[in-house]
Structure formats: structure tokens, C-alpha cells
Amino acid sequence: MRAFRIAEFGTAPRIEEVALPAPGPGELRVRIAACGLNFADLLMIEGRYQERPPLPVTLGMELAGTVEALGPDVDPGLLGRRVAVFAGSGGLAEAGCFPASRCVPLPEGMTFEAAAAFQVAYGTSHVALDHKARLAPGETLLVLGAAGGVGLTAVEIGKRMSARVIACARGAERLEVARAAGADHLIDSDAGDLREAVLALGGADVVYDPVGGDLFTAAMRACKPEGRILVIGFASGDVPQIKANHLMVKNLSVMGLYWGGYLAFRPEVLTDSLATLFRWHAEGGLSPHVSHVLPLDRAAEALALLRERKATGKVVVTMG
């Protein structure tokens, strides 16, 4: 089978022919149909991601496909089921073996491409806004990077939770994508002072930040008293340094969120969240935005779309 792999961190990934794996105890093998890409895949290549799996490693953190083989101690009813998997790695391949506990059966009517774009982006935003920030109806949510893979889902979920959503993104085209997802107010991050623009709208109760850098500082200064700031990632490449006295004066809270980390200590947070999200999708309340779908032999091009910030929403690779 074919797999898109790196042999060493910091080297360019390439497609290789590898043996079809056999599932071990508690595992199943999935014939992969689609894999959603994430900014974390770029960090994985560079060796800068929080987790560094043994080399060589097949890239691709979230995938969807059909269960085609079972290891010992796995429910036989899963054979032939359509599933989504948060694997951490291994998704950019024609098949892979994964723990059965990480497989979620797909709702009827959800395509493989939508499922591959769903888990990390929607899961991150839902756990952040619901479990961590306790976003309440009527509160004002400021979303930075609002047209990106996770930012766009934060706009959508924020509206689903009855918040007033301010979307901040770069340029009119990206802001239009955020508006279509339900944003109430739009701010171009390149067009002026973010702090002043947010304060003119009354300030923010919750900030959702996958960007970092100067935008974090401006957003923090635009928070209302008792505002909550969600640190999701650092797409800008700049990890902000926080002055604790600023938090004290306005009674602010800063909360980090690493969605995949819950697998190690509270997996029920993720499974309960995904159950809610799949229900919302079945009700027609969520619509994954996939801007690009490319085949496996163009996986390097697909990653470049993320690196060069040419995508809105998600980029998905299909296995043909």
C-alpha cells in the first residue's frame, strides 16, 4: 500500500510503498478513504509538535474510512462499518491499524470527506467553548483566524450556542467565508487596530485564539472584565508572553486547550463532545467547510496550502 511518510524530522515527506499492516489486540484496520489535514501536521514534519511518534512516521492525524479487518478482542460488529478515527498519525495512507477505542461510527449521510474534516476542528472548538470557557447565550465571542480550519468551526459553534460572534480574519474573501458561517461582525486583521475595533463593539467575553502573536495581545486588551481567553495554537509562529498583572487588573482567565491531550486523562470529554457534534450535524446544524480536496499523490501540495495560508476551512486528501 502507499503511505505519505517522513524518515526524519525536518525532512520532506514522500510517498512510499509499505506492507499492509495486521491489526493487533484491541485494534482494527481501516481502508482509508479520506484524511483531514491540520496545522499540526506541519509541526510534526518539523519535529515541533507536542508528540513525536517513532520514526519513520506516516502523517495525517484524522481520517475516515471502512473497517476491513479486526484484531483480537474487538467487537465483530465493527467489521464493515464506516468510521472516523482520530489517530494522531497514520491517516495519509491507503490503510492503517488503529485502536478500536478511537473509532467513531459515522452518522448516515455523512461523507468520508466531511468526516475527515470534522473531528479535530469541530471537536477543538466545542470542547474549548463549552467545556473550558462555558460560553453562555448572549455573550460576545471574538474568534481570531476565523476563516481557518478551527477558527471557522468556532464561528459556527459559537452561533449554535447563541453567542454574538465577532470574526477576525485577513482580507475580504476570508471574512466572507466567516460571515457565511454565521459571524455577526467582521474585522479585517490587516485593516487597523483590533483592540479598538472590538471595544467599539462592546468588548469580548471570550476570545478564541489559534493565531497567537500580536493579535493575542490586542484581543486580551479588548476583553471585558472576567473575560476568558482560549489559547488554541500559534499559527503566526509567535508564542505570546503574558503579563500577569494585566490578567489581575481585569480579572481575566487564560485557558490552554490541547484537544488530543484529553485522550490520555479524560477521554470521555472528547467522546461526549463528538456525540453532541454528530447529533448537531445530523440535525443539519453543522456544515464542514472544505476548501480543497486533493488525491494522495498531491499530498505535498495539500500541505503547502496550509503552510502558505491559501486554504479556508479544511484541506482533505483522498486515497482514490
Side-chain angles (χ1 to χ4, degrees):
M1 70 172 199
R2 297 183 303 158
F4 192 63
R5 321 177 84 196
I6 52 171
E8 296 290 341
F9 294 118
T11 62
R14 64 181 186 180
I15 295 177
E16 299 179 3
E17 288 287 340
V18 299
L20 187 69
E27 292 184 335
L28 44 72
R29 187 171 72 230
V30 177
R31 178 59 57 176
I32 299 170
C35 177
L37 301 188
N38 295 277
F39 186 77
D41 290 305
L42 300 177
L43 299 179
M44 181 80 75
I45 293 170
E46 298 167 3
R48 297 195 295 123
Y49 190 56
Q50 296 97 307
E51 298 177 6
R52 290 165 60 114
L55 294 168
V57 61
T58 298
L59 300 170
M61 296 185 170
E62 57 180 330
L63 60 103
T66 303
V67 178
E68 66 175 9
L70 306 175
D73 305 319
V74 175
D75 178 4
L78 289 172
L79 191 63
R81 293 291 299 273
R82 300 167 68 251
V83 296
V85 186
F86 175 69
S89 62
L92 285 171
E94 292 175 324
C97 292
F98 310 102
S101 59
R102 294 196 179 192
C103 298
V104 181
L106 296 187
E108 186 176 351
M110 178 179 268
T111 67
F112 286 129
E113 289 82 2
F118 196 88
Q119 291 183 95
V120 173
Y122 280 102
T124 295
S125 292
H126 184 252
V127 171
L129 297 175
D130 183 62
H131 177 72
K132 296 285 284 189
R134 307 295 184 187
L135 179 67
E139 287 192 312
T140 297
L141 167 66
L142 170 62
V143 180
L144 306 182
V150 291
L152 196 60
T153 64
V155 172
E156 199 173 355
I157 289 174
K159 288 304 297 180
R160 176 81 187 205
M161 295 175 70
S162 300
R164 183 177 70 133
V165 178
I166 304 171
C168 176
R170 179 179 296 169
E173 183 179 352
R174 289 175 172 270
L175 286 171
E176 176 58 26
V177 173
R179 186 204 62 76
D184 299 290
H185 304 281
L186 307 175
I187 297 175
D188 190 332
S189 59
D190 287 340
D193 188 327
L194 173 65
R195 173 177 176 268
E196 292 299 324
V198 175
L199 288 176
L201 293 169
D205 295 293
V206 175
V207 174
Y208 182 99
D209 180 17
V211 179
D214 292 341
L215 288 180
F216 173 92
T217 303
M220 182 176 70
R221 296 177 66 206
C223 281
K224 300 177 184 179
E226 292 197 324
R228 291 94 76 199
I229 304 168
L230 292 158
V231 177
I232 307 299
F234 313 103
S236 68
D238 182 359
V239 179
Q241 303 302 304
I242 304 169
K243 293 184 178 180
N245 61 313
H246 291 182
L247 305 181
M248 180 186 70
V249 169
K250 292 178 73 174
N251 291 291
L252 301 180
S253 299
V254 178
M255 297 171 275
L257 180 78
Y258 168 35
W259 184 78
Y262 277 94
L263 287 170
F265 67 98
R266 286 194 66 189
E268 72 279 3
V269 171
L270 302 192
T271 54
D272 291 349
S273 171
L274 285 173
T276 296
L277 290 167
F278 279 141
R279 186 181 76 251
W280 287 357
H281 181 273
E283 293 169 356
L286 300 176
S287 302
H289 178 84
V290 178
S291 64
H292 296 81
V293 178
L294 287 81
L296 181 61
D297 58 10
R298 295 174 64 189
E301 180 182 341
L303 286 170
L305 291 169
L306 294 185
R307 185 181 297 109
E308 298 165 9
R309 301 185 186 183
K310 293 181 177 178
T312 57
K314 294 284 285 189
V315 176
V316 171
V317 172
T318 57
M319 308 308 146

PDB file of all heavy atoms in Angstrom, residues 123-151:
ATOM      1  N   GLY A 123     -14.269  19.335  17.128  1.00  0.00           N
ATOM      2  CA  GLY A 123     -14.025  18.883  18.492  1.00  0.00           C
ATOM      3  C   GLY A 123     -13.264  19.906  19.306  1.00  0.00           C
ATOM      4  O   GLY A 123     -13.604  20.184  20.470  1.00  0.00           O
ATOM      5  N   THR A 124     -12.223  20.499  18.712  1.00  0.00           N
ATOM      6  CA  THR A 124     -11.448  21.515  19.416  1.00  0.00           C
ATOM      7  C   THR A 124     -12.330  22.690  19.813  1.00  0.00           C
ATOM      8  O   THR A 124     -12.313  23.146  20.964  1.00  0.00           O
ATOM      9  CB  THR A 124     -10.288  22.003  18.529  1.00  0.00           C
ATOM     10  OG1 THR A 124      -9.373  20.925  18.310  1.00  0.00           O
ATOM     11  CG2 THR A 124      -9.556  23.164  19.174  1.00  0.00           C
ATOM     12  N   SER A 125     -13.116  23.182  18.875  1.00  0.00           N
ATOM     13  CA  SER A 125     -13.928  24.366  19.160  1.00  0.00           C
ATOM     14  C   SER A 125     -15.023  24.072  20.170  1.00  0.00           C
ATOM     15  O   SER A 125     -15.305  24.896  21.051  1.00  0.00           O
ATOM     16  CB  SER A 125     -14.521  24.912  17.855  1.00  0.00           C
ATOM     17  OG  SER A 125     -13.498  25.429  17.036  1.00  0.00           O
ATOM     18  N   HIS A 126     -15.651  22.904  20.074  1.00  0.00           N
ATOM     19  CA  HIS A 126     -16.731  22.592  21.009  1.00  0.00           C
ATOM     20  C   HIS A 126     -16.201  22.394  22.417  1.00  0.00           C
ATOM     21  O   HIS A 126     -16.763  22.934  23.393  1.00  0.00           O
ATOM     22  CB  HIS A 126     -17.495  21.353  20.545  1.00  0.00           C
ATOM     23  CG  HIS A 126     -18.678  21.036  21.405  1.00  0.00           C
ATOM     24  ND1 HIS A 126     -18.696  19.969  22.270  1.00  0.00           N
ATOM     25  CD2 HIS A 126     -19.873  21.660  21.564  1.00  0.00           C
ATOM     26  CE1 HIS A 126     -19.856  19.935  22.900  1.00  0.00           C
ATOM     27  NE2 HIS A 126     -20.586  20.949  22.498  1.00  0.00           N
ATOM     28  N   VAL A 127     -15.118  21.637  22.576  1.00  0.00           N
ATOM     29  CA  VAL A 127     -14.551  21.437  23.916  1.00  0.00           C
ATOM     30  C   VAL A 127     -14.064  22.766  24.479  1.00  0.00           C
ATOM     31  O   VAL A 127     -14.252  23.064  25.669  1.00  0.00           O
ATOM     32  CB  VAL A 127     -13.419  20.389  23.877  1.00  0.00           C
ATOM     33  CG1 VAL A 127     -12.686  20.330  25.221  1.00  0.00           C
ATOM     34  CG2 VAL A 127     -13.974  19.018  23.541  1.00  0.00           C
ATOM     35  N   ALA A 128     -13.443  23.596  23.638  1.00  0.00           N
ATOM     36  CA  ALA A 128     -12.950  24.885  24.107  1.00  0.00           C
ATOM     37  C   ALA A 128     -14.085  25.784  24.577  1.00  0.00           C
ATOM     38  O   ALA A 128     -14.048  26.345  25.685  1.00  0.00           O
ATOM     39  CB  ALA A 128     -12.165  25.574  22.997  1.00  0.00           C
ATOM     40  N   LEU A 129     -15.107  25.934  23.753  1.00  0.00           N
ATOM     41  CA  LEU A 129     -16.169  26.887  24.054  1.00  0.00           C
ATOM     42  C   LEU A 129     -17.142  26.376  25.107  1.00  0.00           C
ATOM     43  O   LEU A 129     -17.636  27.152  25.938  1.00  0.00           O
ATOM     44  CB  LEU A 129     -16.927  27.248  22.775  1.00  0.00           C
ATOM     45  CG  LEU A 129     -16.098  27.963  21.703  1.00  0.00           C
ATOM     46  CD1 LEU A 129     -16.942  28.160  20.444  1.00  0.00           C
ATOM     47  CD2 LEU A 129     -15.563  29.291  22.211  1.00  0.00           C
ATOM     48  N   ASP A 130     -17.430  25.082  25.102  1.00  0.00           N
ATOM     49  CA  ASP A 130     -18.413  24.522  26.030  1.00  0.00           C
ATOM     50  C   ASP A 130     -17.761  24.048  27.325  1.00  0.00           C
ATOM     51  O   ASP A 130     -18.092  24.522  28.416  1.00  0.00           O
ATOM     52  CB  ASP A 130     -19.158  23.373  25.346  1.00  0.00           C
ATOM     53  CG  ASP A 130     -20.241  22.785  26.228  1.00  0.00           C
ATOM     54  OD1 ASP A 130     -21.176  23.518  26.577  1.00  0.00           O
ATOM     55  OD2 ASP A 130     -20.151  21.590  26.583  1.00  0.00           O
ATOM     56  N   HIS A 131     -16.802  23.135  27.219  1.00  0.00           N
ATOM     57  CA  HIS A 131     -16.201  22.518  28.407  1.00  0.00           C
ATOM     58  C   HIS A 131     -15.279  23.481  29.151  1.00  0.00           C
ATOM     59  O   HIS A 131     -15.295  23.528  30.387  1.00  0.00           O
ATOM     60  CB  HIS A 131     -15.442  21.258  27.992  1.00  0.00           C
ATOM     61  CG  HIS A 131     -14.715  20.582  29.107  1.00  0.00           C
ATOM     62  ND1 HIS A 131     -15.368  19.879  30.097  1.00  0.00           N
ATOM     63  CD2 HIS A 131     -13.386  20.508  29.399  1.00  0.00           C
ATOM     64  CE1 HIS A 131     -14.485  19.393  30.949  1.00  0.00           C
ATOM     65  NE2 HIS A 131     -13.275  19.767  30.550  1.00  0.00           N
ATOM     66  N   LYS A 132     -14.473  24.246  28.406  1.00  0.00           N
ATOM     67  CA  LYS A 132     -13.481  25.113  29.054  1.00  0.00           C
ATOM     68  C   LYS A 132     -14.039  26.503  29.381  1.00  0.00           C
ATOM     69  O   LYS A 132     -14.012  26.934  30.519  1.00  0.00           O
ATOM     70  CB  LYS A 132     -12.245  25.251  28.162  1.00  0.00           C
ATOM     71  CG  LYS A 132     -11.494  23.946  27.927  1.00  0.00           C
ATOM     72  CD  LYS A 132     -10.694  23.525  29.153  1.00  0.00           C
ATOM     73  CE  LYS A 132      -9.431  24.362  29.304  1.00  0.00           C
ATOM     74  NZ  LYS A 132      -8.550  23.804  30.371  1.00  0.00           N
ATOM     75  N   ALA A 133     -14.512  27.221  28.365  1.00  0.00           N
ATOM     76  CA  ALA A 133     -14.905  28.617  28.566  1.00  0.00           C
ATOM     77  C   ALA A 133     -16.326  28.791  29.081  1.00  0.00           C
ATOM     78  O   ALA A 133     -16.682  29.856  29.556  1.00  0.00           O
ATOM     79  CB  ALA A 133     -14.735  29.404  27.272  1.00  0.00           C
ATOM     80  N   ARG A 134     -17.151  27.737  28.988  1.00  0.00           N
ATOM     81  CA  ARG A 134     -18.563  27.832  29.411  1.00  0.00           C
ATOM     82  C   ARG A 134     -19.258  29.021  28.752  1.00  0.00           C
ATOM     83  O   ARG A 134     -19.927  29.831  29.404  1.00  0.00           O
ATOM     84  CB  ARG A 134     -18.661  27.940  30.929  1.00  0.00           C
ATOM     85  CG  ARG A 134     -17.942  26.860  31.695  1.00  0.00           C
ATOM     86  CD  ARG A 134     -18.537  25.486  31.475  1.00  0.00           C
ATOM     87  NE  ARG A 134     -17.883  24.462  32.289  1.00  0.00           N
ATOM     88  CZ  ARG A 134     -18.122  23.150  32.191  1.00  0.00           C
ATOM     89  NH1 ARG A 134     -19.016  22.715  31.302  1.00  0.00           N
ATOM     90  NH2 ARG A 134     -17.491  22.288  32.940  1.00  0.00           N
ATOM     91  N   LEU A 135     -19.078  29.131  27.430  1.00  0.00           N
ATOM     92  CA  LEU A 135     -19.697  30.223  26.685  1.00  0.00           C
ATOM     93  C   LEU A 135     -21.208  30.202  26.897  1.00  0.00           C
ATOM     94  O   LEU A 135     -21.858  29.176  26.725  1.00  0.00           O
ATOM     95  CB  LEU A 135     -19.369  30.067  25.200  1.00  0.00           C
ATOM     96  CG  LEU A 135     -19.952  31.107  24.245  1.00  0.00           C
ATOM     97  CD1 LEU A 135     -19.329  32.480  24.498  1.00  0.00           C
ATOM     98  CD2 LEU A 135     -19.729  30.675  22.795  1.00  0.00           C
ATOM     99  N   ALA A 136     -21.770  31.353  27.272  1.00  0.00           N
ATOM    100  CA  ALA A 136     -23.189  31.447  27.601  1.00  0.00           C
ATOM    101  C   ALA A 136     -23.949  32.190  26.509  1.00  0.00           C
ATOM    102  O   ALA A 136     -23.386  33.043  25.812  1.00  0.00           O
ATOM    103  CB  ALA A 136     -23.366  32.163  28.935  1.00  0.00           C
ATOM    104  N   PRO A 137     -25.239  31.895  26.328  1.00  0.00           N
ATOM    105  CA  PRO A 137     -26.050  32.629  25.355  1.00  0.00           C
ATOM    106  C   PRO A 137     -25.983  34.131  25.604  1.00  0.00           C
ATOM    107  O   PRO A 137     -26.049  34.585  26.757  1.00  0.00           O
ATOM    108  CB  PRO A 137     -27.462  32.087  25.594  1.00  0.00           C
ATOM    109  CG  PRO A 137     -27.241  30.723  26.157  1.00  0.00           C
ATOM    110  CD  PRO A 137     -26.011  30.829  27.008  1.00  0.00           C
ATOM    111  N   GLY A 138     -25.830  34.890  24.523  1.00  0.00           N
ATOM    112  CA  GLY A 138     -25.787  36.332  24.619  1.00  0.00           C
ATOM    113  C   GLY A 138     -24.410  36.911  24.852  1.00  0.00           C
ATOM    114  O   GLY A 138     -24.223  38.133  24.725  1.00  0.00           O
ATOM    115  N   GLU A 139     -23.432  36.080  25.211  1.00  0.00           N
ATOM    116  CA  GLU A 139     -22.074  36.591  25.387  1.00  0.00           C
ATOM    117  C   GLU A 139     -21.439  36.878  24.024  1.00  0.00           C
ATOM    118  O   GLU A 139     -21.870  36.354  22.995  1.00  0.00           O
ATOM    119  CB  GLU A 139     -21.214  35.598  26.164  1.00  0.00           C
ATOM    120  CG  GLU A 139     -21.556  35.520  27.638  1.00  0.00           C
ATOM    121  CD  GLU A 139     -20.522  34.760  28.444  1.00  0.00           C
ATOM    122  OE1 GLU A 139     -20.130  33.647  28.018  1.00  0.00           O
ATOM    123  OE2 GLU A 139     -20.119  35.263  29.498  1.00  0.00           O
ATOM    124  N   THR A 140     -20.381  37.714  24.044  1.00  0.00           N
ATOM    125  CA  THR A 140     -19.674  38.070  22.826  1.00  0.00           C
ATOM    126  C   THR A 140     -18.415  37.229  22.702  1.00  0.00           C
ATOM    127  O   THR A 140     -17.564  37.228  23.600  1.00  0.00           O
ATOM    128  CB  THR A 140     -19.311  39.567  22.820  1.00  0.00           C
ATOM    129  OG1 THR A 140     -20.510  40.336  22.837  1.00  0.00           O
ATOM    130  CG2 THR A 140     -18.501  39.910  21.569  1.00  0.00           C
ATOM    131  N   LEU A 141     -18.317  36.521  21.585  1.00  0.00           N
ATOM    132  CA  LEU A 141     -17.170  35.659  21.284  1.00  0.00           C
ATOM    133  C   LEU A 141     -16.355  36.297  20.172  1.00  0.00           C
ATOM    134  O   LEU A 141     -16.883  36.581  19.093  1.00  0.00           O
ATOM    135  CB  LEU A 141     -17.663  34.273  20.853  1.00  0.00           C
ATOM    136  CG  LEU A 141     -16.621  33.333  20.213  1.00  0.00           C
ATOM    137  CD1 LEU A 141     -15.558  32.937  21.230  1.00  0.00           C
ATOM    138  CD2 LEU A 141     -17.312  32.096  19.633  1.00  0.00           C
ATOM    139  N   LEU A 142     -15.070  36.523  20.419  1.00  0.00           N
ATOM    140  CA  LEU A 142     -14.146  37.003  19.399  1.00  0.00           C
ATOM    141  C   LEU A 142     -13.324  35.821  18.899  1.00  0.00           C
ATOM    142  O   LEU A 142     -12.637  35.159  19.690  1.00  0.00           O
ATOM    143  CB  LEU A 142     -13.216  38.079  19.971  1.00  0.00           C
ATOM    144  CG  LEU A 142     -12.031  38.505  19.093  1.00  0.00           C
ATOM    145  CD1 LEU A 142     -12.509  39.112  17.779  1.00  0.00           C
ATOM    146  CD2 LEU A 142     -11.121  39.465  19.852  1.00  0.00           C
ATOM    147  N   VAL A 143     -13.398  35.545  17.607  1.00  0.00           N
ATOM    148  CA  VAL A 143     -12.647  34.429  17.001  1.00  0.00           C
ATOM    149  C   VAL A 143     -11.547  35.002  16.128  1.00  0.00           C
ATOM    150  O   VAL A 143     -11.815  35.695  15.140  1.00  0.00           O
ATOM    151  CB  VAL A 143     -13.575  33.527  16.162  1.00  0.00           C
ATOM    152  CG1 VAL A 143     -12.770  32.373  15.554  1.00  0.00           C
ATOM    153  CG2 VAL A 143     -14.718  32.984  17.012  1.00  0.00           C
ATOM    154  N   LEU A 144     -10.302  34.711  16.461  1.00  0.00           N
ATOM    155  CA  LEU A 144      -9.166  35.069  15.623  1.00  0.00           C
ATOM    156  C   LEU A 144      -8.923  33.955  14.613  1.00  0.00           C
ATOM    157  O   LEU A 144      -9.257  32.789  14.867  1.00  0.00           O
ATOM    158  CB  LEU A 144      -7.921  35.292  16.476  1.00  0.00           C
ATOM    159  CG  LEU A 144      -8.050  36.289  17.630  1.00  0.00           C
ATOM    160  CD1 LEU A 144      -6.712  36.444  18.352  1.00  0.00           C
ATOM    161  CD2 LEU A 144      -8.559  37.636  17.142  1.00  0.00           C
ATOM    162  N   GLY A 145      -8.345  34.295  13.469  1.00  0.00           N
ATOM    163  CA  GLY A 145      -8.149  33.276  12.434  1.00  0.00           C
ATOM    164  C   GLY A 145      -9.465  32.631  12.042  1.00  0.00           C
ATOM    165  O   GLY A 145      -9.559  31.419  11.850  1.00  0.00           O
ATOM    166  N   ALA A 146     -10.494  33.463  11.878  1.00  0.00           N
ATOM    167  CA  ALA A 146     -11.865  32.955  11.807  1.00  0.00           C
ATOM    168  C   ALA A 146     -12.203  32.245  10.517  1.00  0.00           C
ATOM    169  O   ALA A 146     -13.287  31.658  10.405  1.00  0.00           O
ATOM    170  CB  ALA A 146     -12.856  34.101  12.029  1.00  0.00           C
ATOM    171  N   ALA A 147     -11.327  32.258   9.517  1.00  0.00           N
ATOM    172  CA  ALA A 147     -11.590  31.523   8.279  1.00  0.00           C
ATOM    173  C   ALA A 147     -10.733  30.276   8.165  1.00  0.00           C
ATOM    174  O   ALA A 147     -10.798  29.566   7.162  1.00  0.00           O
ATOM    175  CB  ALA A 147     -11.345  32.422   7.062  1.00  0.00           C
ATOM    176  N   GLY A 148      -9.939  29.985   9.185  1.00  0.00           N
ATOM    177  CA  GLY A 148      -9.077  28.806   9.159  1.00  0.00           C
ATOM    178  C   GLY A 148      -9.805  27.547   9.577  1.00  0.00           C
ATOM    179  O   GLY A 148     -11.009  27.559   9.871  1.00  0.00           O
ATOM    180  N   GLY A 149      -9.066  26.439   9.635  1.00  0.00           N
ATOM    181  CA  GLY A 149      -9.674  25.140   9.889  1.00  0.00           C
ATOM    182  C   GLY A 149     -10.438  25.065  11.197  1.00  0.00           C
ATOM    183  O   GLY A 149     -11.565  24.571  11.245  1.00  0.00           O
ATOM    184  N   VAL A 150      -9.835  25.550  12.306  1.00  0.00           N
ATOM    185  CA  VAL A 150     -10.550  25.516  13.577  1.00  0.00           C
ATOM    186  C   VAL A 150     -11.342  26.803  13.802  1.00  0.00           C
ATOM    187  O   VAL A 150     -12.426  26.777  14.387  1.00  0.00           O
ATOM    188  CB  VAL A 150      -9.595  25.261  14.766  1.00  0.00           C
ATOM    189  CG1 VAL A 150      -9.046  23.855  14.719  1.00  0.00           C
ATOM    190  CG2 VAL A 150      -8.483  26.284  14.821  1.00  0.00           C
ATOM    191  N   GLY A 151     -10.812  27.940  13.352  1.00  0.00           N
ATOM    192  CA  GLY A 151     -11.496  29.207  13.585  1.00  0.00           C
ATOM    193  C   GLY A 151     -12.894  29.243  13.004  1.00  0.00           C
ATOM    194  O   GLY A 151     -13.834  29.753  13.630  1.00  0.00           O
TER     195      GLY A 151
END
